[in-house]
């Protein structure tokens, strides 16, 4: 589903954020991306979304070479990927329902589809009862659930989460990670960049460790850090 072939990313500033990355993530997988701040995790995710272009190499997403994707085709790529961020990025003047609905509306979805899909996405994250609330009336964990519902409402094949629990307390972080795991078990491929050592160590998922723009470890049922 995702293939990096000798991918490098050098920013105009001269920083080499990723150096000759080879990576394969299959459909249905759950992969953590770990590494110190500045190691290149966000850059890797931005390349998959084509928010940044590679300097060298090729990236395939769902069989398409996205490095040669035309600008007008980029929205189709983004539509197949749900994204959540550390800071939730909800629209403050819209209700929970409207936030999720908006993500469908901009893809040109029909009202009938939205009436079916929005409640389903809210149900999936356990927020059906908060549909009419505004983001500032919700806890951080609830806001991240809304962001997850919004990311999933268009039924993407891939979910990308960049530090999704960075603003949450430990217990809530666990709930969000469990929810992401459940979403994975329902068939969505998941990539999570995170610093949550405790969670990574107990979830026993694939761990891709990045350091200074290089993959230094890629383990099934891995740990945040190699004990050796
Ligand atoms: P991480 O997500 O692991 O913290 P990033 O991918 O954000 O790492 O950053 C990797 C490196 O690239 C860092 O040295 C960072 O300063 C640099 N970098 C990230 N984004 C930009 C940018 N837009 N312009 C220039 N340098 C950047
Ligand atoms: P596990 O319990 O080990 O996490 P899963 O039940 O999530 O395994 O998945 C079993 C296998 O099926 C994995 O190889 C996974 O990649 C694949 N898989 C899971 N869901 C889907 C799906 N909706 N479409 C395609 N492959 C899937």
């Amino acid at each position: 589903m995702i293939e990096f072939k000798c991918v490098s990313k050098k920013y105009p500033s001269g920083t080499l954020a990723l150096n000759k990355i080879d990576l394969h993530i299959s459909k249905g997988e759950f992969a953590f991306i770990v590494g110190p701040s500045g190691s290149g995790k966000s850059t890797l995710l931005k390349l998959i979304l084509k928010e940044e272009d590679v300097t060298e190499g090729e990236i395939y997403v769902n069989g398409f070479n996205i490095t040669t994707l035309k600008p007008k085709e980029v929205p189709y790529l983004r539509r197949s990927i749900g994204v959540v961020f550390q800071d939730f990025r909800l629209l403050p003047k819209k209700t929970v329902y409207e936030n999720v609905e908006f993500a469908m509306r901009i893809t040109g979805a029909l009202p009938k589809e939205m009436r079916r899909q929005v409640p389903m996405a809210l149900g999936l994250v356990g927020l059906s009862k908060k549909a009419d609330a505004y983001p500032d009336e919700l806890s951080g964990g609830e806001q991240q659930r809304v962001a997850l519902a919004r990311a999933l409402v268009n039924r993407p094949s891939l979910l990308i989460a960049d530090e999704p629990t960075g603003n949450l307390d430990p217990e809530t972080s666990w709930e969000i990670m469990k929810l992401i795991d459940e979403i994975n078990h329902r068939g969505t491929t998941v990539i999570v960049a995170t610093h949550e050592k405790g969670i990574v160590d107990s979830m026993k998922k694939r761990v891709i460790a990045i350091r200074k723009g290089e993959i230094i470890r890629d383990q099934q049922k891995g740990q945040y850090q190699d004990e050796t």
Side-chain angles (χ1 to χ4, degrees), residues 186-202:
R186 286 167 184 252
T188 309
T189 308
V190 168
I191 305 178
V192 180
T194 188
H195 280 111
E196 302 275 5
K197 182 179 187 312
I199 290 178
V200 171
D201 287 349
S202 34

Side-chain angles (χ1 to χ4, degrees), residues 79 103-107 109 117 149-157:
R79 215 168 287 172
M104 270 197 98
R105 193 184 295 278
I106 57 173
T107 70
Q117 280 295 116
R150 180 181 58 184
L152 296 167
V153 73
N154 292 317
R155 301 179 148 274
S157 51

Side-chain angles (χ1 to χ4, degrees), residues 11 13 15 17 36-43:
Y11 285 106
S13 60
T15 304
S37 189
S39 55
K41 303 183 296 297
S42 297
T43 300

Side-chain angles (χ1 to χ4, degrees), residues 28-30 180-190 205:
E29 273 199 276
F30 186 127
I180 293 175
D181 193 28
E182 200 181 308
I183 289 159
N184 172 248
H185 276 271
R186 286 167 184 252
T188 309
T189 308
V190 168
K205 300 293 185 184

Side-chain angles (χ1 to χ4, degrees), residues 76-222:
Y76 294 100
L77 169 73
R78 304 237 173 101
R79 215 168 287 172
S80 71
I81 307 175
V83 195
V84 296
F85 304 94
Q86 178 170 354
D87 56 358
F88 321 133
R89 304 196 189 178
L90 301 175
L91 298 166
K93 294 196 170 135
K94 289 189 188 290
T95 64
V96 164
Y97 190 96
E98 289 163 350
N99 263 277
V100 177
E101 186 189 51
F102 186 69
M104 270 197 98
R105 193 184 295 278
I106 57 173
T107 70
L110 300 169
K112 191 180 156 198
E113 291 177 290
M114 296 194 285
R115 280 196 299 274
R116 194 188 57 195
Q117 280 295 116
V118 176
M120 211 158 85
L122 288 174
L124 183 68
V125 301
L127 275 187
S128 303
K129 289 183 175 155
K130 299 276 183 175
D132 296 327
Y134 286 88
D136 67 4
E137 298 170 326
L138 302 177
S139 69
E142 288 170 333
Q143 290 186 55
Q144 194 58 300
R145 285 171 188 267
V146 179
L148 272 168
R150 180 181 58 184
L152 296 167
V153 73
N154 292 317
R155 301 179 148 274
S157 51
L158 172 65
L159 175 68
I160 286 180
D162 195 353
E163 302 281 357
T165 61
N167 282 329
L168 304 175
D169 61 62
E171 195 179 324
T172 311
S173 296
W174 260 110
E175 286 169 17
I176 292 295
M177 248 3 144
K178 287 279 168 207
L179 183 53
I180 293 175
D181 193 28
E182 200 181 308
I183 289 159
N184 172 248
H185 276 271
R186 286 167 184 252
T188 309
T189 308
V190 168
I191 305 178
V192 180
T194 188
H195 280 111
E196 302 275 5
K197 182 179 187 312
I199 290 178
V200 171
D201 287 349
S202 34
M203 283 181 74
K204 303 195 166 48
K205 300 293 185 184
R206 179 176 176 185
V207 174
I208 299 162
I210 306 192
R211 192 162 208 148
K212 294 182 182 157
E214 297 187 11
I215 294 177
I216 54 162
R217 187 160 49 92
D218 186 347
Q219 278 180 314
Q220 297 298 331
K221 303 193 181 186

Side-chain angles (χ1 to χ4, degrees), residues 58-70:
E58 286 170 349
I59 299 176
Y60 294 83
V61 177
N62 289 330
F64 291 98
N65 183 344
I66 66 158
T67 27
T68 56
L69 213 58
K70 295 187 183 75

